[in-house]
């Protein structure tokens, strides 16, 4: 890997600024000053800036997991229940992107990139999450659909307009852009249809697809890129 890219990847500076640091003679490889930003950094060498070693950042990894019921969405659980992290075969320190309730199944992402996790969960970015909900007291009538779409009053305030489709008399598909606690369940309950089963089937551009419960797969670079692309309105 080129030296400037290595420095930028380690969070030292932007690629351009890292090139300047190298040209200024402030960077060494194995204690020897290097002024060519394109110099190759081989595995095992020590790169230092102003005499202080620079740690290489592990590459970004993002996994999609089909979370089964009974698994918690935290990295560690004091009650020692199975966690989403324990279902992903990776050495990297991963943590979940947002949460699903313990009884909610479906698509959850895990990553070692805090910046990406923030970008995907902060309400400001309005990333769409799509849920399929099996509800009580069918059939769900048009009035309830209209209420859900317009926004329902929850304890902490009104929900933003949501996408809602009735797939069957007892099954709804909800598209939410907020990430309030137990939001889908509280919304359905507020219109008289408590949720019996909830599954997340899409997160941003990424579909749950054919992942089986408990199965995880690493996303490709282009899938990760698509995650942060703003959807066309
Ligand atoms: N909404 C809920 O009510 N529960 C979840 O797990 C996710 C969204």
């Amino acid at each position: 890997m080129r030296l400037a890219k290595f420095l930028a990847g380690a969070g030292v500076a932007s690629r351009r600024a890292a090139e300047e640091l190298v040209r200024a003679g402030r960077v060494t490889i194995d204690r020897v000053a290097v002024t060519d930003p394109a110099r190759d950094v081989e595995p095992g060498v020590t790169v230092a800036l102003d005499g202080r070693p620079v740690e290489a950042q592990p590459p970004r990894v993002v996994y999609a997991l089909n979370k089964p019921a009974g698994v918690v969405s935290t990295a560690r659980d004091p009650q020692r229940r199975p966690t989403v992290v324990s279902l992903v075969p990776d050495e990297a320190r991963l943590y979940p992107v947002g949460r699903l309730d313990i009884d909610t199944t479906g698509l959850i992402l895990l990553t070692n990139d805090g910046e990406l996790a923030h970008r995907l969960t902060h309400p400001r970015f309005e990333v769409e999450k799509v849920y399929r909900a099996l509800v009580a007291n069918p059939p769900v009538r048009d009035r309830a659909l209209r209420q859900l779409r317009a926004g329902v009053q929850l304890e902490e305030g009104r929900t933003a307009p949501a996408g809602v489709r009735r797939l069957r008399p007892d099954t709804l598909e909800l598209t939410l852009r907020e990430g309030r606690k137990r939001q889908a369940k509280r919304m359905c309950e507020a219109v008289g249809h408590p949720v019996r089963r909830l599954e997340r089937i899409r997160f941003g551009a990424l579909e749950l697809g054919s992942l089986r419960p408990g199965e995880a797969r690493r996303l490709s670079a282009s899938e990760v890129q698509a995650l942060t692309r703003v959807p066309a309105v």
Side-chain angles (χ1 to χ4, degrees), residues 67 73 99-105 129 131 176 179-187 195 198 200:
K67 179 183 122 33
S73 303
R99 302 249 168 124
L100 289 177
D101 300 332
I102 189 163
D103 58 345
T104 301
T105 62
K129 273 85 67 180
Y131 298 90
L176 308 182
R180 305 190 198 191
K181 209 160 182 237
R182 299 185 63 252
Q183 183 170 348
K185 290 178 188 164
R186 289 190 295 145
M187 286 173 70
V195 170
L198 188 66
R200 183 154 68 193

Side-chain angles (χ1 to χ4, degrees), residues 8-189:
V12 164
S14 70
R15 187 82 71 90
R16 179 80 48 87
E19 288 174 3
E20 290 309 315
L21 291 173
V22 177
R23 288 203 189 91
R26 293 172 58 186
V27 177
T28 55
I29 296 181
D30 285 343
R31 292 169 175 263
V32 178
V34 175
T35 52
D36 176 8
R39 255 289 281 282
D40 194 40
V41 178
E42 287 176 4
V45 300
T46 301
V47 175
L49 169 65
D50 297 334
R52 274 191 297 273
V54 174
E55 296 294 334
Q57 286 290 32
R60 170 161 83 185
V61 284
V62 185
Y63 276 86
L65 167 72
N66 185 347
K67 179 183 122 33
V71 173
V72 293
S73 303
T74 48
R76 264 175 298 280
D77 183 49
Q79 297 175 48
R80 316 196 101 210
R81 291 169 297 188
T83 69
V84 286
V85 171
S86 68
L87 294 176
V88 178
D90 199 289
E91 306 286 297
R93 270 175 60 110
L94 298 177
Y95 42 91
V97 176
R99 302 249 168 124
L100 289 177
D101 300 332
I102 189 163
D103 58 345
T104 301
T105 62
L107 181 59
I108 188 161
L109 301 177
L110 296 103
T111 185
N112 60 349
D113 183 341
E115 195 58 39
L116 177 70
H118 173 75
R119 171 73 183 72
L120 293 174
T121 50
H122 196 284
R124 178 155 62 93
F125 297 108
E126 299 193 342
V127 175
E128 281 187 358
K129 273 85 67 180
V130 182
Y131 298 90
R132 194 162 289 167
L134 176 73
V135 299
N137 308 327
V140 180
R141 306 221 179 258
D142 290 351
R143 181 162 181 272
L145 296 182
R146 282 196 298 272
Q147 286 176 313
L148 289 168
R149 286 181 188 130
V152 297
Q153 191 62 38
L154 300 179
E155 244 172 69
E156 72 280 13
R158 216 177 169 72
T159 59
V164 183
R165 294 201 300 147
R166 181 177 43 212
L167 305 179
R168 283 192 288 275
D170 63 354
T171 308
L172 299 178
E173 187 183 278
L174 296 109
T175 302
L176 308 182
R177 291 183 191 81
E178 306 167 283
R180 305 190 198 191
K181 209 160 182 237
R182 299 185 63 252
Q183 183 170 348
K185 290 178 188 164
R186 289 190 295 145
M187 286 173 70
C188 292
E189 191 161 5

